[in-house]
Amino acid sequence: MRGKVAFITGGSKGIGYGIAESLAQEGVHSVLTSRTQANADKAAKAISEKYKVKCLGIEADVRDYKAVKSAVDRAEDAFGQIDYVIANAGLGHFGSVEDLKVEQWQEVIDTNLSGVFYTIKSSVEALKKTKGYFISISSLAGENFFAGGSAYNASKFGVTGFTQAVMLDLRQKGVNVSTIMPGSVSTYFNGNEPDDKDAWKIQIEDLGEIVVDLFKLNPRTLPSKIEVRPSQPPKK
């Protein structure tokens, strides 16, 4: 894996950052996107200095196809290749369908679902060149619905189905495709502040380890859909 290049959306914090760190430990260079250049630069600087790999931060809102395509083009120009793409950027708005605003629905769908499409659409030619790997970060909410989750469920059910169809589209082209479906993860998602109360949750480095394992697996074998959950959640 050393010397390969990963493109990670939403890479400035949370799951994306954890994946970038795990890959950096294997000598993988990264391009991290964020909605703000300041956050992208901060994360890229931290990883490059700690792990002595190259890391580039790029401002790109995944709701904007042109912004994602520009970021992918910049990544390929800077490194000459893209071996791994992780579509991680996501957000959530929760509440009864009676209260959910149209703007909230659109933001969730545009970010979580259309953003994944824009990411693979922008990078598929680069991945075909390297016989690379595409991973989307879905959720257990992509199979399990819950009250107040209509927008989030719709987006993640969509990501799960979309990614499995893409897997069938691309596997004969030499591009492996997987979706990872985590349960509760210790991140800043939905206003959470990670601390000791989150010790029971999946940690971002755990997901990073899974990604590394996928990339190290012989490419003839493809775990196309991976459910991940805390082993000992609090009793209800």
Side-chain angles (χ1 to χ4, degrees):
M1 294 175 63
R2 185 167 299 277
K4 293 195 173 184
V5 179
F7 181 91
I8 305 171
T9 66
S12 65
K13 61 183 180 179
I15 293 172
Y17 187 84
I19 291 171
E21 275 203 300
S22 294
L23 292 175
Q25 293 174 46
E26 301 292 329
V28 176
H29 309 301
S30 291
V31 176
L32 310 179
T33 75
S34 175
R35 287 193 181 188
T36 69
Q37 189 63 50
N39 286 343
D41 287 340
K42 181 179 178 181
K45 183 173 185 290
I47 287 176
S48 61
E49 290 182 351
K50 183 174 181 180
Y51 299 103
K52 310 305 179 188
V53 295
K54 297 176 182 177
C55 196
L56 174 66
I58 300 177
E59 178 181 349
D61 188 333
V62 297
R63 296 175 296 176
D64 181 348
Y65 172 71
K66 290 182 179 179
V68 179
K69 184 65 168 64
S70 175
V72 168
D73 290 345
R74 283 184 59 190
E76 199 169 17
D77 288 344
F79 291 99
Q81 66 192 71
I82 298 175
D83 302 278
Y84 311 128
V85 174
I86 298 95
N88 163 75
L91 53 78
H93 291 299
F94 302 93
S96 168
V97 69
E98 299 170 286
D99 304 317
L100 189 70
K101 297 177 181 177
V102 170
E103 294 78 13
Q104 292 175 315
W105 168 270
Q106 292 173 332
E107 186 176 27
V108 172
I109 298 299
D110 291 349
T111 302
N112 296 1
L113 182 53
S114 295
V116 174
F117 167 65
Y118 296 156
T119 302
I120 185 59
K121 186 69 174 176
S122 298
S123 60
V124 65
E125 293 304 320
L127 289 174
K128 285 163 62 177
K129 293 176 189 175
T130 58
K131 304 297 183 184
Y133 209 127
F134 176 77
I135 291 176
S136 69
I137 304 300
S138 185
S139 168
L140 291 182
E143 285 188 342
N144 305 293
F145 48 85
F146 56 92
S150 57
Y152 193 71
N153 282 141
S155 71
K156 292 301 186 179
F157 269 69
V159 169
T160 300
F162 170 80
T163 309
Q164 295 298 284
V166 171
M167 178 269 295
L168 298 177
D169 287 342
L170 298 183
R171 61 180 177 174
Q172 297 297 338
K173 306 291 178 63
V175 179
N176 276 356
V177 176
S178 301
T179 189
I180 299 176
M181 306 170 66
S184 298
V185 183
S186 178
T187 70
Y188 296 92
F189 183 78
N190 205 32
N192 182 62
E193 288 290 333
D195 56 26
D196 291 344
K197 74 178 184 306
D198 294 330
W200 63 273
K201 296 180 179 179
I202 301 164
Q203 302 300 305
I204 57 174
E205 60 267 25
D206 303 337
L207 294 174
E209 185 176 344
I210 290 170
V211 170
V212 169
D213 288 344
L214 285 173
F215 293 161
K216 286 186 173 182
L217 187 64
N218 192 303
R220 68 177 172 238
T221 300
L222 177 60
S224 57
K225 184 170 68 172
I226 302 160
E227 294 186 6
V228 188
R229 47 179 50 81
S231 56
Q232 292 186 332
K235 293 182 178 179
K236 294 183 179 179

